[in-house]
Amino acid sequence: MVTAGDGWRANTARLLPGLAAALAAVGVALAVHQVVPMLPAMTIAVVLGIAAVNLPGTASLCEGPLRKGLNFAGKHLMRVGIIFLGLKLSLGDIAALGWVSVALIVGVVLLSFAGTFALGKLFRLDGDTPLLIATGFSICGASAIGAMAAVKGTKHSDTVLPVALVTLCGTLAIGVLPLLMHPLGLTALQFGQWVGAGVHDVGQVVATAQTAGTVALSAAIVVKLTRVVLLAPIVGVVGGLERRRHTRLALAAGAQDDGAEKPRFPPVVPLFVIGFLAMIVLRTTGLLPHAAIEAGSVAQDVALGAALFGLGASVRVRQLLHTGARATVMALCSWALIAALAFGAVHLMGA
């Protein structure tokens, strides 16, 4: 007789190989980042995942015994990482920017979101892809894509392309934006603000801004984390619209009848986003000791790194080149749009 405990143990045993591989990849990514700080650990984790599923020696493992654990990491550890991301944010740091700067940053995010979404529709990208790319590019990269996918109920496989594109464009930013600092006449402070307002992932922001020194890095982090705070309200708005859509569909199908099964609705704000907000509040109170904040940062790196390795291990390069060329051109257009919007905002901040 098979008990529930036996089933749980069997399921756990199927998850462990993939989770162990993801955690090992995080260790490699963090070690490489220590040696070459210009390379963000999260970007390395994605690249390792892509390499693992495309190299002949490891591809069969990723598609076989490791697959269940890799999928689990890509979905569930992403949510854990988003929760701990909240510990990086303090509302006091955001308030110190002043209401004009905060308003400009919010404006950049909203215009970036709307512009990228419109580009996705213009390029006729399928399904939720325009929404996921818009969320990732305008807010905080793969973390935002994971949060939006949860609200929309997007399949794990459909998040692979947006994550690959946000990784590609963020990596380009690391190499390209520092070369433009002096031709554009930006001071270190302005460069940091530009990077914080225009680069997608937190790690990519740090890697790009640190090339101009500590002033640029500090400014970039504060501006970037202000963008990250907008993850919750944007996800909440989309969650509310999604719930209304499901309600209309249920009513149209006659699900309001007494004998009909009650429909299941997606959450307006997922629990892990509420956890993200709770961590922001906790950090803002100043009650957490520095050691706890550092531990949270490590937990975030491990969880997000494992998740990104899992997502990267779903990217088949041959298939991506075949189906993702149009999306890549669209993403590059969005990258240029967001950089231009951020550049304009930086000059308005100093006006």
Side-chain angles (χ1 to χ4, degrees):
M1 179 179 177
V2 178
T3 65
D6 292 333
W8 182 85
R9 282 190 290 272
N11 188 56
T12 302
R14 288 193 293 269
L15 292 176
L16 284 177
L19 288 175
L23 292 174
V26 174
V28 173
L30 292 173
V32 173
H33 173 65
Q34 288 295 319
V35 176
V36 189
M38 277 290 294
L39 296 177
M42 301 302 103
T43 300
I44 298 168
V46 176
V47 172
L48 288 174
I50 294 172
V53 80
N54 286 281
L55 293 176
T58 53
S60 59
L61 291 175
C62 291
E63 295 300 340
L66 302 183
R67 175 49 51 198
K68 197 171 185 67
L70 293 175
N71 287 346
F72 181 91
K75 180 178 181 180
H76 296 286
L77 293 186
M78 175 68 76
R79 299 178 182 186
V80 173
I82 292 170
I83 291 173
F84 282 110
L85 179 60
L87 285 179
K88 292 184 179 293
L89 306 172
S90 170
L91 297 179
D93 291 336
I94 295 171
L97 287 172
W99 72 268
V100 173
S101 294
V102 172
L104 286 169
I105 294 166
V106 171
V108 168
V109 170
L110 295 179
L111 290 173
S112 300
F113 184 93
T116 302
F117 184 77
L119 283 169
K121 291 297 186 182
L122 181 65
F123 279 77
R124 299 178 183 176
L125 302 187
D126 297 330
D128 293 333
T129 302
L131 178 64
L132 296 180
I133 295 176
T135 308
F137 276 50
S138 63
I139 305 176
C140 57
S143 304
I145 291 170
M148 186 60 76
V151 166
K152 288 288 291 180
T154 308
K155 292 188 297 184
H156 170 79
S157 58
D158 291 339
T159 66
V160 170
L161 178 59
V163 168
L165 293 175
V166 82
T167 302
L168 169 66
C169 291
T171 303
L172 286 174
I174 297 170
V176 172
L177 296 194
L179 299 177
L180 298 177
M181 176 180 171
H182 294 300
L184 292 175
L186 296 174
T187 65
L189 175 62
Q190 289 175 323
F191 178 73
Q193 292 170 334
W194 185 39
V195 170
V199 179
H200 314 318
D201 182 79
V202 175
Q204 296 161 350
V205 166
V206 171
T208 308
Q210 69 183 1
T211 61
T214 55
V215 171
L217 180 59
S218 299
I221 290 173
V222 173
V223 172
K224 175 61 187 176
L225 295 183
T226 303
R227 287 170 61 197
V228 173
V229 170
L230 296 174
L231 174 65
I234 288 179
V235 165
V237 168
V238 174
L241 294 173
E242 187 71 2
R243 180 175 281 260
R244 286 181 60 188
R245 185 179 72 86
H246 278 254
T247 301
R248 288 197 303 269
L249 292 174
L251 291 173
Q256 75 277 21
D257 296 339
D258 292 338
E261 183 181 348
K262 291 185 178 180
R264 294 180 62 187
F265 298 107
V268 174
V269 180
L271 283 176
F272 67 89
V273 176
I274 295 173
F276 165 77
L277 291 172
M279 290 295 188
I280 294 175
V281 172
L282 189 58
R283 172 67 187 268
T284 303
T285 63
L287 298 176
L288 281 179
H290 180 72
I293 295 173
E294 287 297 312
S297 179
V298 172
Q300 182 224 326
D301 286 343
V302 171
L304 282 183
L308 291 173
F309 178 81
L311 288 172
S314 299
V315 178
R316 288 285 189 178
V317 171
R318 184 176 300 176
Q319 182 181 4
L320 184 63
L321 292 174
H322 179 69
T323 62
R326 189 167 67 249
T328 302
V329 174
M330 172 261 157
L332 292 172
C333 291
S334 170
W335 181 51
L337 169 67
I338 294 171
L341 289 170
F343 185 78
V346 166
H347 282 280
L348 289 175
M349 285 180 194

